[in-house]
Amino acid sequence: MTPSLMHFRPARNWMNDPNGLVFHGGRYHLYFQYNPEGATHGFMSWGHSSSTDLVRWEEHPVAIRYTDEHEIFSGSVVFDEHDTSGLGAAGTPPLVAVFTLADQVARHQAQGIASSLDGGRSWRLYEGNPVLDRGSADFRDPKVFRYSGPAGEYWVMVAVEAVERRVVLYRSDDLKTWAYLSDYGPRGATGGVWECPDLFPLAVDGDPSEVRWVLLISLNPGGIAGGSGTQYVIGFFDGVRFVADEPIPPAAPGEGWENSRVQLEACDWLDHGRDFYAGVTFSGLPDEERILVAWMSNWDYAGLLPVDVGSPQRGAMALARRLSLVRADGRVRLRQEAIGPEVATIVARADVRAEGPVELIGELPDRCRIDVCVRLDGADGFDLNLGDTSIVGYSAAEGILWLDRRLAADTMPDGFASIEQVRIGAHGRIELVIWLDRDAIEVFASGGTRTITDLLPERDDAGASIAGRGGSVLIERFEVGAVRDLVSTGSSADMKGQTA
Ligand code: FRU
């Protein structure tokens, strides 16, 4: 695949989950599951990149490397400002990474830590590892945050017993000794192992007197679109226990529960596409600023995606997203807004009426943002064709928005051809924000409370057209903003150089 500048990917080799997201020293650090030895999953280590704007990423040397005994699986980073861990040096509090030490031979997973005194560039494994061991084969993906509330002030770890479909919570005063708090699940979607949890507070509609906690649970397979997906649950965390706001039907594995579309739709999903997984949020930002990064792939076929033989590479991140909570359709929902690159408008059209297919732009840029607002003017819906690799469609009668990427899927691995859908209700007017890369698409609908993210077969130069379904539509707005050239920063040995 052609390297893309809109979505972060390392210059070479394999990447999956985002790890250790932390804003520190004026930079956003993005560590990630990385194989320094090749373009398939293995020898898992933490790769590293950083950015000042979440858009232009600079890749750094591998941060935490696999050892003879362990691979370094997913986890998080916190700034231990008061040196509670004692891993700092005179005057320099440490960054502490908390991750899963995965022994693939002995089938054992426990949590370990490492510290950095140079702002996240180099890391030292703690001699006392592991710091938390349940004797489990599937205990992983610790996300640590600082809790401060009526129950006190301490570190909280949210991790999973993946196969049991349980989120487990622990507390610590020093990041080295951990005491059990509570657990959550199995509940909601349980058709696959639970992975990469996150738990954080957000104010509903920005009102600080109405704070809710959001629990993210990635699961694989069993996602709403098939394969990997991420459900979210809104509730309350009192420093010990997370309690969901709404009664979610208890899971009944083995009774076909996990396979029922109706039941899956009863859960809330971070994204309704095939390629948005293991998303977690940054630490080091104020509570009201919640920014998430997710891996843009799906375990169903991630290891089979075509690679460029010259510099084999697999895996990309979706655009960073700003999260907020809003009251919509009588309930509290997550709203997501992409933090995308700057764009320059190249086409802006208004009041175009379409029944049969009407061309909206002759050639789409390689990477662009598309803002579209369609009014149903006799039609039941529309088909918006984007560059011959994807169709975004809507039907008011069904109240469904969909993304069809089957068009050119014959160049892709088995199981890739798919059509994704999300229920958005019946509306006379649909507004979408779409970020389109050469080989990926992120669709934001209903003010960002519904999103669909998919990888796409690589696009040839082609334009966009729209057709009404069973009548005419009025395109009130169609605006294409081309992403300005981002200078590729490649790899660098240190973090001093700023991206251009
Ligand atoms: C999720 C995951 C995690 C694990 C990591 C291994 O995609 O399976 O549970 O820590 O990937 O690379």
Side-chain angles (χ1 to χ4, degrees), residues 50-71:
S50 71
S51 167
T52 54
D53 59 6
L54 294 162
V55 169
R56 288 164 296 184
W57 294 99
E58 181 178 359
E59 193 179 343
H60 307 298
V62 172
I64 309 179
R65 206 167 255 283
Y66 69 92
T67 68
D68 287 345
E69 293 83 36
H70 297 113
E71 296 187 48

Side-chain angles (χ1 to χ4, degrees), residues 16-17 33 41 44 73-74 140-141 195-196 277-278 299:
N16 57 293
D17 314 354
Q33 284 290 282
H41 188 263
M44 295 319 293
F73 274 15
S74 287
R140 59 178 178 267
D141 306 341
E195 301 185 312
C196 300
Y277 193 60
W299 282 115

Side-chain angles (χ1 to χ4, degrees), residues 14 16-17 19 33-34 41-42 44-45 71-75 100 102 104 109 140-142 160 162 193-196 218 220 228 277-278 295 299:
W14 169 274
N16 57 293
D17 314 354
N19 294 152
Q33 284 290 282
Y34 184 65
H41 188 263
M44 295 319 293
S45 304
E71 296 187 48
I72 310 294
F73 274 15
S74 287
T100 302
Q104 301 285 71
Q109 297 184 349
R140 59 178 178 267
D141 306 341
V160 287
V193 294
W194 282 15
E195 301 185 312
C196 300
S218 284
N220 175 64
S228 318
Y277 193 60
W295 178 43
W299 282 115

Side-chain angles (χ1 to χ4, degrees), residues 318-488:
L319 291 174
R321 295 183 183 179
R322 181 166 285 115
L323 307 183
S324 52
L325 282 183
V326 291
R327 210 173 279 284
D329 325 319
R331 48 191 303 217
V332 176
R333 285 184 188 277
L334 261 185
R335 173 175 189 270
Q336 306 175 61
E337 184 196 347
I339 301 171
E342 263 184 56
V343 295
T345 303
I346 54 165
V347 157
R349 306 189 61 184
D351 298 329
V352 180
R353 197 169 297 277
E355 192 163 347
V358 167
E359 182 179 285
L360 294 167
I361 181 171
E363 195 178 315
L364 282 163
D366 280 356
R367 294 173 284 277
C368 58
R369 171 184 163 131
I370 302 170
D371 285 80
V372 53
C373 178
V374 183
R375 184 201 292 271
L376 303 187
D377 188 25
D380 168 56
F382 59 83
D383 290 283
L384 173 64
N385 231 297
L386 296 171
D388 286 347
T389 52
S390 58
I391 302 170
V392 178
Y394 174 68
S395 160
E398 294 176 74
I400 281 170
L401 180 82
W402 64 86
L403 174 62
D404 186 349
R405 64 169 182 183
R406 293 172 301 181
L407 290 175
D410 50 342
T411 58
M412 301 302 274
D414 282 353
F416 187 89
S418 64
I419 176 163
E420 280 68 69
Q421 62 178 54
V422 57
R423 201 166 290 285
I424 63 169
H427 304 283
R429 196 158 168 273
I430 297 292
E431 271 191 87
L432 303 172
V433 177
I434 299 169
W435 287 92
L436 185 66
D437 202 337
R438 274 197 79 77
D439 55 8
I441 183 169
E442 301 186 47
V443 180
F444 294 76
S446 304
T449 59
R450 312 290 200 289
T451 65
I452 307 181
T453 302
D454 268 6
L455 292 174
L456 297 175
E458 188 131 354
R459 176 159 48 96
D460 286 329
D461 299 331
S465 62
I466 193 165
R469 294 175 79 86
S472 72
V473 285
L474 181 69
I475 295 89
E476 292 188 342
R477 189 154 88 102
F478 180 80
E479 204 169 300
V480 177
V483 171
R484 291 174 200 274
D485 273 346
L486 297 172
V487 175
S488 173

Side-chain angles (χ1 to χ4, degrees), residues 27 29 47-51 58-62 490-495:
R27 296 188 80 84
H29 292 269
H48 183 200
S49 61
S50 71
S51 167
E58 181 178 359
E59 193 179 343
H60 307 298
V62 172
S491 306
S492 80
D494 63 45
M495 288 181 294

